[in-house]
Amino acid sequence: MVSVCFYFQVHQPYRVKKYTIFDIGNNSNYFYDDGDNKRNNEKILRKVSNKCYLPANAVLLELLNKYPEFKISFSFSGVFLEQLEEFAPDVLDSFKKLVDTGQVEILAETYYHSLAFLYSKGEFREQVKLHENLIKRLFGLTPKVFRNTELIYSNEVAREVEAMGYKGILSEGSDNILGWRSPNFLYRPISTKKIKVLTKNYRLSDDLAFRFSEKSWKEWPLTAPKYVEWVNAINGNGNVLNLFMDYETFGEHQWEETGIFEFMRHLPGEILKHPDNNFKTPSEVIDSYNVMGDFDVPHLMSWADVERDLSAWLGNEIQHSAINKVYFLGHRVLKTKDEELIHKWRKLQTSDHFYYMCTKWFADGDVHKYFNPYESPYDAFISFMNVLQDLELRLEKYEMMNPDEKCNLSSSNFNNIYKFNSLLNNKSEGMINGNN
Amino acid sequence: MFGWEFPPFHTGGLGTACEGLTKCLSKNGVELIFVLPKKLDLNVDFLKVVYADDNIPIKKQYYFNSIIQGYTTHKSYENKYELEKEKDLIYASNLNEEVERYGLVAKRIAEEETFDIIHAHDWLTFKAGMMAKRVSGKKLVVHVHATEFDRCGGQGCNQHVYDIEKKGMQEADQIIAISDYTKKQIVKHYGISPKKVIVIHNGTQFEEFILNEVSNLKKSKKIVLSLGRITLQKGIDYLISAARIVLKYDRNVIFVIAGNGDMYEEIVRKVSDMGIADNFIFTGWVKDKNEIKKMYSMADLFIMPSVSEPFGLVPLEAQMCGTPSLISKQSGVAEIFSNCLKADFWDVNDMADKIVAVLKYNELHKTLNENGKEEVKKLTWDKPAVRCMDLYKKMMEEVN
């Protein structure tokens, strides 16, 4: 029996506008760039909706109606849903229609698609809670399975998530994580009691997400029957096929002209031709199958790049200094109890901001360049740091008006930053491999 | 190969580029005969032949007695001629005629030597290249390091120079442009088909320089450096407008302007009119190479605000000395150098924003510097030389 488990990540950040020294102290609009550029969030959302969300939702709705056995799952970041409410309610409705079929599961994550787990457990829990509330409000569902930003995972993440009451968690399933073991089974994160981990089958996932339109790939062009042959081959050596990918694969990363929508239209029918195949959501997978063994990931991993590490977000000094500054301000921001300010500060935690500052392949003009709304990682850093300067000015203003409230840093629950940094500094590469 | 300056007798980027290119070509087995105008001792022949030795990687070098130098203009030629004419009468009385004379010399050499390809660097040598082509029937590649439009900064192009450039480009079988920026100029202003122009970016020779002493100035101030001719082309007036904005945010910055040029006095006057003279140091020309390296090292940021810059080697040199750069997007080097800050030369607000940021955020300075250094190390002459050889091969195959 092979249960095909689809999980689509849907996320759009609030990109920081080009924010200069002239704006500091004069302008607290950090996110609304109305220019004709790649930082105009509303325009981007519209563009991606037309290329991906709307046509992909139409295909999925058609499939969910046609095949009652077809199941999928989504993880929506809170900042994405918030932008849909703000800029594109029609798109939000089309997602609701999918959920209304009852064949869709929604996963839990941090509202702000943040790296909060690495810096403050308290902030992490708070953001997961905010996300849960939003999902309940918009879709009437309560998530039971958790996925962390960019599938960032370690034993510690699994323990924390179990303590928060989730029955499952998603992880990357690449060779450097699983070794000789197969991603097509469930595992038990080490030193947890009940929670089960689903691991991404990166080969079959990436065949769609990355290789589908690659003409130099020996399997090009990929057809649904050919793909399903590979799926069927799992029968006898696995319970589940975890196909995890960005939803933007459909129409945005793989353009419509590549035939990705047609492929998807035929895929469920082809999969269901084999009597031993079915579809399950992550919760159903967890309820249906037992674990095959322990899953031990002492170091932080993610689903990004070949390295599967955190270097795309935290690989250089500008990224570290920017994110440290964000969390360094945390206690003072929360002290203000100013909801608007806190919300802005949290939007600055979205991992994408740090991704845009990645210089790993900058000189080679790699994938990061395509997704970078700034002309260079350095420009991304400058706008971001200027914004933090303004935020700090606002905090100073607040603290001057409320002198009693001035916080005592030593009691801050953001001390984690220092612990985390000292851990990083011990590593020669500056990577995050700390075993804590 | 026809040039008009070569180290150690050179004043600008062309000489450095010729040296880098010829070294790498020779290393790869290309035999070069290099012809160069040079003021020779009066007792020596009109032409002097120098054979390869440890210092010169070129099989054979011809020096032809001339007072043409790098970046000679009609005016500077005439000034020089005034100084020289009493002593000797072999030089032509104006630059145009001297360029013609270079052509005649080229004809003579081309008749005597055997070679496969003729390669001419910039307009002063184009006549020579065309003449050599006519007598030998070999193919000609002209290498454009700068056009008349760059040199005059968009104002008052010299028609005669333009005509020679255009004729050279037309008669050439192939054109090498040192940047996409230059290629666009060639296509736009000279009506040349883009198919005929291949872009081969300049390389550089990485020489790290680390300054151990810390000057008193550096201890208390942040230093922003620019180095080059103070002309319209180099955009220094935009830099001072940006500086005025920067100083509103950070008084603790010193702008060091190294170099000289026809706008020098105007710039000094402007700075004092703006009331920011205390934050400026004008050094004039710094000739000593070690002094230049020290200046690069002392700076916190190097700026190249050029209005028009076919390539622009200086930010790469600054980077070798550990100083990151803010460069004009209107420069050739911006096409191949990523780990630096970039701004439109006219966008003085953006320039000021970036200057303030790099001086304020230490990690930005550090990351730019580390990544920039790694990148500059890779920008050697190896790849450009191989591309140049591929071009030669292709041209020779077409002959057969």
Side-chain angles (χ1 to χ4, degrees), chain A residues 18 21 317 375 378 386, chain B residues 329 338-339 350 353 361 366:
Chain A
K18 185 180 162 71
I21 39 163
E317 289 212 28
E375 282 177 45
Y378 306 109
N386 286 341
Chain B
K329 286 182 193 170
S338 303
N339 288 289
D350 192 34
D353 188 35
Y361 306 126
K366 206 172 156 203

Side-chain angles (χ1 to χ4, degrees), chain A residues 62-103:
Chain A
E62 181 189 313
L63 291 168
L64 290 164
N65 288 331
K66 188 170 170 192
Y67 304 102
E69 318 87 311
F70 184 51
K71 306 279 175 64
I72 52 175
S73 71
F74 281 107
S75 182
F76 304 108
S77 73
V79 281
F80 168 71
L81 293 172
E82 195 178 314
Q83 289 187 73
L84 284 191
E85 284 196 284
E86 195 174 351
F87 304 129
D90 54 320
V91 182
L92 181 58
D93 285 342
S94 75
F95 278 110
K96 282 180 178 166
K97 281 202 186 98
L98 297 182
V99 177
D100 288 344
T101 62
Q103 294 152 256

Side-chain angles (χ1 to χ4, degrees), chain A residues 76-205:
Chain A
F76 304 108
S77 73
V79 281
F80 168 71
L81 293 172
E82 195 178 314
Q83 289 187 73
L84 284 191
E85 284 196 284
E86 195 174 351
F87 304 129
D90 54 320
V91 182
L92 181 58
D93 285 342
S94 75
F95 278 110
K96 282 180 178 166
K97 281 202 186 98
L98 297 182
V99 177
D100 288 344
T101 62
Q103 294 152 256
V104 176
E105 178 174 356
I106 300 179
L107 307 182
E109 66 167 291
T110 56
Y111 186 106
Y112 297 91
H113 200 269
S114 72
L115 305 173
F117 182 85
L118 309 177
Y119 291 86
S120 163
K121 298 273 169 62
E123 177 64 18
F124 171 72
R125 271 184 235 115
E126 180 66 22
Q127 290 186 16
V128 176
K129 187 78 201 155
L130 287 167
H131 183 260
E132 187 185 295
N133 295 343
L134 180 72
I135 297 299
K136 207 178 280 175
R137 175 167 71 79
L138 293 177
F139 299 101
L141 296 176
T142 303
K144 297 277 185 280
V145 175
F146 182 82
R147 50 82 49 198
N148 202 9
T149 305
E150 307 292 343
L151 289 195
I152 290 169
Y153 183 94
S154 71
N155 294 338
E156 203 189 343
V157 178
R159 278 199 295 272
E160 180 71 22
V161 168
E162 181 175 61
M164 288 159 71
Y166 292 97
K167 66 178 177 184
I169 182 165
L170 272 48
S171 166
E172 170 59 52
S174 65
D175 300 341
N176 56 349
I177 298 172
L178 278 169
W180 54 271
R181 291 180 299 173
S182 159
N184 306 327
F185 293 101
L186 288 174
Y187 295 96
R188 160 85 14 91
I190 208 149
S191 72
T192 59
K193 293 188 189 66
K194 277 162 60 190
I195 196 168
K196 294 176 183 176
V197 59
L198 285 84
T199 54
K200 172 182 153 190
N201 184 313
Y202 75 93
R203 286 199 182 86
L204 287 169
S205 298

